[in-house]
C-alpha cells in the first residue's frame, strides 16, 4: 500500500513540474540572427514619435535598416550609427521587427512601442514602408526569465510537494495504531 502512495506522490510532483516548466521553444531564441556583423536599436522600448539610434558594428557595406514603424534608413559604409523617428501612429504595446541588411546578410531585432503618441498628427505622412504592420505571433517567446513567474512556479512546486508529503504521512500514520 505504501508503494501506491509513493507512486501517487511522485506522479503528482512530476505533473506539477511539467505544467510549470517553460516551453522549450521559449529558451531557444535568436538562432536565426547569427550574423557576421553586430546590430542594435537604442532604446529598444520607446513611445510613438520618439527617436531611436540604429547601430551596426563590423559591416563592410552600406547597411539598410527597415521596419514598419519608421522610414527606411541607410547607414553609410564606415559609419556605425544613424537615427530614425518612430511614426506618431505606432500602436502602443506593439512590437515591431527591425531588419538590418549588410551586403547579402540580414538580422532582425525588436522595437517595442509604449504609451504616448497621437493617432492624428498632421505632420506625419504614411509611406509605403509603413504598411508592413506590427510583428505578430511572438507572445511568450522572448526567452527571458520573469521573476514573478519563477516565484509562482516555485511556490506551486513547493505546495504540491508539501501536500503530497502531508497526505502520505497522514495516511501512513492513521494505519499504524
Amino acid at each position: 500500500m505504501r508503494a501506491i502512495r509513493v507512486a501517487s506522490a511522485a506522479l503528482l510532483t512530476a505533473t506539477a513540474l511539467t505544467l510549470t516548466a517553460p516551453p522549450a521553444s521559449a529558451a531557444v531564441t535568436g538562432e536565426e540572427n547569427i550574423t557576421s556583423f553586430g546590430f542594435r536599436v537604442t532604446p529598444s522600448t520607446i513611445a510613438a514619435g520618439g527617436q531611436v539610434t540604429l547601430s551596426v558594428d563590423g559591416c563592410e557595406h552600406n547597411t539598410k535598416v527597415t521596419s514598419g514603424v519608421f522610414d527606411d534608413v541607410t547607414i553609410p559604409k564606415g559609419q556605425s550609427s544613424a537615427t530614425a523617428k518612430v511614426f506618431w501612429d505606432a500602436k502602443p504595446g506593439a512590437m515591431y521587427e527591425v531588419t538590418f541588411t549588410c551586403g547579402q546578410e540580414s538580422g532582425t531585432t525588436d522595437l517595442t512601442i509604449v504609451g504616448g503618441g497621437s493617432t492624428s498628427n498632421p505632420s506625419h505622412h504614411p509611406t509605403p514602408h509603413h504598411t508592413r504592420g506590427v510583428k505578430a505571433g511572438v507572445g511568450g517567446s522572448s526567452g527571458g526569465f520573469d521573476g514573478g513567474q519563477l516565484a509562482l512556479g516555485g511556490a506551486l512546486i513547493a505546495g504540491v510537494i508539501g501536500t503530497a508529503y502531508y497526505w502520505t504521512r497522514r495516511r501512513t500514520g492513521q494505519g499504524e495504531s
Side-chain angles (χ1 to χ4, degrees):
M1 191 69 144
R2 177 151 169 79
I4 292 174
R5 290 185 195 130
V6 171
S8 296
L11 183 60
L12 185 61
T13 302
T15 302
L17 289 173
T18 301
L19 294 175
T20 59
S25 62
V28 182
T29 59
E31 288 184 22
E32 67 277 359
N33 277 322
I34 298 174
T35 61
S36 64
F37 66 98
F39 55 90
R40 66 192 163 284
V41 177
T42 310
S44 61
T45 302
I46 193 161
Q51 185 170 302
V52 293
T53 301
L54 310 166
S55 303
V56 65
D57 301 311
C59 179
E60 299 299 322
H61 306 278
N62 287 340
T63 303
K64 184 175 181 181
V65 186
T66 58
S67 180
V69 73
F70 54 77
D71 290 324
D72 290 357
V73 173
T74 299
I75 303 173
K77 178 181 177 181
Q79 289 187 12
S80 61
S81 67
T83 60
K85 186 172 180 178
V86 174
F87 295 139
W88 280 100
D89 60 351
K91 295 174 181 31
M95 184 182 303
Y96 290 85
E97 190 172 84
V98 179
T99 302
F100 289 78
T101 304
C102 171
Q104 299 299 315
E105 278 187 282
S106 290
T108 61
T109 189
D110 295 326
L111 177 61
T112 304
I113 307 301
V114 294
S118 168
T119 57
S120 60
N121 182 354
S123 67
H124 171 68
H125 302 288
T127 64
H129 306 294
H130 190 77
T131 59
R132 288 192 196 117
V134 178
K135 181 178 179 183
V138 296
S141 64
S142 66
F145 292 105
D146 181 286
Q149 290 176 340
L150 288 174
L152 178 61
L156 287 172
I157 291 169
V160 168
I161 291 172
T163 301
Y165 178 78
Y166 171 79
W167 284 106
T168 302
R169 297 297 297 162
R170 184 169 180 242
R171 287 183 184 161
T172 56
Q174 287 177 347
E176 293 180 348
S177 296

